[in-house]
Amino acid sequence: MTRRAAQSLGEVLAVRGAVVDVAFNAGDLPQIDEALAVEWDRRGPLIVEVQAHLDETTVRGVALQTTAGLARGTPVRATGGPITVPVGDAVLGRLLDVTGDVRDNGPPLPEGMSRSPIHRAAPALADRSPATAIFETGIKAIDLLSPLARGGKAAMFGGAGVGKTVVVMELIHAMVQSYRGISVFAGVGERSREGHELLVEMRRSGVIDRSVLVYGQMNEPPGARWRVGLTALTIAEHFRDQKQQNVLLLMDNVFRFVQAGGEVSGLLGRLPSRVGYQPTLATEVAALQERITSVGAVSVTAIEAVYVPADDFTDPAVTAISSHLDSIIMLSRSMAAEGMYPAVDPLSSSSILLDPLVVGEEHYRLAEEVRETIAHYKELQDIIALLGIEELSAQDRLMVRRARRLQRFLTQPFAVTEAFTGKPGRSVPLAETLKGCRAILSGIADTWAESSLYMVGTLDEARNKEGAASEEAKPQ
């Protein structure tokens, strides 16, 4: 967007919650998405983003901070361009809000920092690099069944309480040793408690110095939650384009971004579309997701958490988000209820990288065999519930036995849950995951107790656990 001279002065005409109408002189209206600074007597700025031109002299905008106490007639200054946020090395280790102000009770950012507008076009298709390099996470179920792409987009879908935030936090923890780039975390509409826990965890683990936290939390106005993802993405793009550094962008929760957009759309008086969502749903999601990409030799890799309302995976918001992704990780409520953590559904999760040309013939074949074995077990579950496992054929009983062991082997303890479970976390290399699945499918673990494979890292650890259990079971 071309930046104009910041000359326009107006005044507040009407205030309805987060929506503010501002009157300007005819022919001098600010552009759509331009930032307006309200010059009121309260502490801290009030930024309003223009969303509509009502007539020749009036614009309607959405406030990014609370409007409590804002009076009609208050002077408003057009800034001449979109909202800008500070970028560069000085933001590393800091917690910022949607407008780039520091919110961690630390010292202010240095004067004269570079600032970038939060609205910009996605890189041209010709400038993008294909995302074909594997991004290992150390989480067995993800690396085996839904591998992530370096420079790609992956998301964890799940209803309330199935472990989305825990998996995101574990990924942050797992990247400390293996990932040497910059991490940018966007907290979109999440609880203040979760934001505080993440800040404390990152300080404790020593990764805060290479990370930036950007929050627009649940208690903030919808405008802040709607634009905070763009703020985080702008900071990530600066490190990618100007510093030539790889960036890991973590977003929790993208559904809250869609939800905030719906609130803004309703406040602006737009008629809702499917299932009550905003008519601009697909455009808003695309404007965020299409900017996440690799350019040249450097990349922005996104890992997102997406809340699924009422566990309905056909929800328009969920389908709009999933159409932009390379890897889809579905979290299952039934698996979480059985204690299978991480509750990754092996049959619904997918990745465009799970191709023999990318991951290799062996990895692809093993992943397909694991899926087939677990799918066959799912088909037999009704028969087992009605008649018992004894009524199955010998071949089916063997498949069930191996499927149950595979399910348990794909669980693992997380470092971020150690304080609650007492079990130290495990990060498992992909080679060990493949080795363990190959052994279970070949029958090595057929006689082992299922509990020996539950919540372990490698197959060797499970073997030691089985050996210890066998020793205990021997008569004294």
Side-chain angles (χ1 to χ4, degrees):
M1 182 181 290
T2 306
R3 193 173 181 85
R4 300 186 296 107
Q7 298 171 341
S8 303
L9 284 173
E11 62 177 35
V12 174
L13 195 64
V15 182
R16 289 180 299 279
V19 173
V20 180
D21 291 351
V22 182
F24 288 90
N25 294 325
D28 204 18
L29 287 186
Q31 300 175 19
I32 301 295
D33 288 338
E34 184 169 327
L36 310 178
V38 178
E39 298 178 339
W40 62 348
D41 57 355
R42 299 299 175 100
R43 185 181 174 187
L46 174 59
I47 302 298
V48 176
E49 188 178 80
V50 177
Q51 293 298 319
H53 292 170
L54 299 184
D55 55 39
E56 293 179 352
T57 60
T58 312
V59 299
R60 177 164 289 169
V62 173
L64 271 65
Q65 295 90 7
T66 180
T67 57
L70 180 60
R72 293 178 64 186
T74 303
V76 178
R77 177 175 50 84
T79 62
I83 296 163
T84 60
V85 294
V87 293
D89 292 339
V91 299
L92 292 173
R94 306 308 300 270
L95 189 151
L96 310 175
D97 66 10
V98 64
T99 57
D101 291 331
V102 175
R103 295 295 184 208
D104 56 9
N105 296 325
L109 294 172
E111 293 289 333
M113 279 193 67
S114 297
R115 298 181 73 93
S116 293
I118 65 170
H119 295 286
R120 60 186 291 188
L125 197 59
D127 298 334
R128 303 186 188 192
S129 304
T132 55
I134 298 295
F135 193 80
E136 275 196 44
T137 65
I139 299 174
K140 290 182 286 190
I142 293 176
D143 287 343
L144 174 70
L145 301 167
S146 186
L148 309 189
R150 189 178 296 276
K153 297 181 281 283
M156 280 149 290
F157 292 87
V162 297
K164 297 182 298 298
T165 300
V166 171
V167 175
V168 168
M169 290 181 68
E170 180 67 16
L171 284 168
I172 294 171
H173 190 276
M175 296 308 159
V176 177
Q177 303 300 327
S178 60
Y179 186 77
R180 300 310 306 158
I182 301 296
S183 297
V184 179
F185 181 87
V188 185
E190 288 299 281
R191 302 167 186 86
S192 301
R193 169 186 57 79
E194 292 176 340
H196 180 259
E197 285 176 359
L198 181 64
L199 180 61
V200 170
E201 170 67 22
M202 292 184 90
R203 281 176 173 165
R204 186 189 62 79
S205 58
V207 288
I208 191 70
D209 291 339
R210 299 187 64 78
S211 305
V212 186
L213 279 70
V214 188
Y215 276 99
Q217 299 193 141
M218 196 176 278
N219 60 332
E220 296 188 49
R225 289 179 270 123
W226 191 37
R227 292 308 191 204
V228 70
L230 297 182
T231 299
L233 187 50
T234 300
I235 294 169
E237 286 171 332
H238 174 83
F239 285 108
R240 180 194 67 193
D241 299 335
Q242 309 302 323
K243 302 285 187 178
Q244 296 294 299
Q245 291 176 293
N246 291 323
V247 183
L248 177 63
L249 176 65
L250 300 128
M251 301 182 73
D252 187 7
N253 187 303
V254 181
F255 178 78
R256 306 294 180 200
F257 158 76
V258 172
Q259 204 171 37
E263 289 179 50
V264 169
S265 181
L267 289 168
L268 293 173
R270 296 177 186 147
L271 287 174
S273 182
R274 282 194 305 159
V275 200
Y277 284 107
Q278 61 269 40
T280 53
L281 171 64
T283 307
E284 289 173 14
V285 171
L288 178 72
Q289 299 286 355
E290 288 303 305
R291 285 169 60 182
I292 303 169
T293 186
S294 300
V295 178
V298 287
S299 62
V300 173
T301 304
I303 298 174
E304 308 165 6
V306 183
Y307 166 70
V308 179
D311 289 345
D312 178 13
F313 289 93
T314 64
D315 186 88
V318 175
T319 55
I321 294 166
S322 62
S323 64
H324 293 273
L325 302 173
D326 303 309
S327 302
I328 295 173
I329 302 160
M330 295 290 193
L331 300 180
S332 161
R333 185 170 301 282
S334 61
M335 290 185 67
E338 293 173 19
M340 302 294 176
Y341 289 107
V344 176
D345 187 337
L347 305 182
S348 303
S349 301
S350 62
S351 171
I352 61 169
L353 267 72
L354 196 59
D355 184 293
L357 297 175
V358 178
V359 298
E361 188 66 43
E362 184 194 18
H363 182 166
Y364 175 76
R365 184 181 53 77
L366 270 173
E368 288 301 298
E369 200 170 340
V370 166
R371 278 211 178 99
E372 286 172 15
T373 304
I374 293 174
H376 191 60
Y377 170 47
K378 297 280 187 189
E379 290 170 3
L380 295 170
Q381 277 185 322
D382 287 343
I383 297 172
I384 294 168
L386 289 170
L387 303 174
I389 196 168
E390 294 79 14
E391 297 301 315
L392 300 178
S393 67
Q395 183 63 29
D396 283 345
R397 283 202 301 273
L398 185 63
M399 288 280 278
V400 167
R401 194 178 301 126
R402 290 178 182 172
R404 289 177 61 86
R405 282 159 177 76
L406 280 169
Q407 282 183 327
R408 280 147 183 78
F409 179 67
L410 291 176
T411 64
Q412 69 190 85
F414 282 171
V416 294
T417 59
E418 185 176 340
F420 309 103
T421 63
K423 293 182 178 180
R426 296 283 187 273
S427 180
V428 184
L430 175 61
E432 289 292 336
T433 301
L434 298 178
K435 175 185 168 185
C437 291
R438 191 187 310 110
I440 293 169
L441 288 167
S442 66
I444 286 175
D446 284 354
T447 59
W448 296 7
E450 291 178 2
S451 58
S452 298
L453 293 150
Y454 179 67
M455 284 295 168
V456 296
T458 63
L459 186 72
D460 291 335
E461 192 179 332
R463 184 179 283 109
N464 294 338
K465 195 173 174 183
E466 173 69 15
S470 300
E471 286 295 323
E472 286 181 14
K474 286 181 181 178
Q476 301 297 323

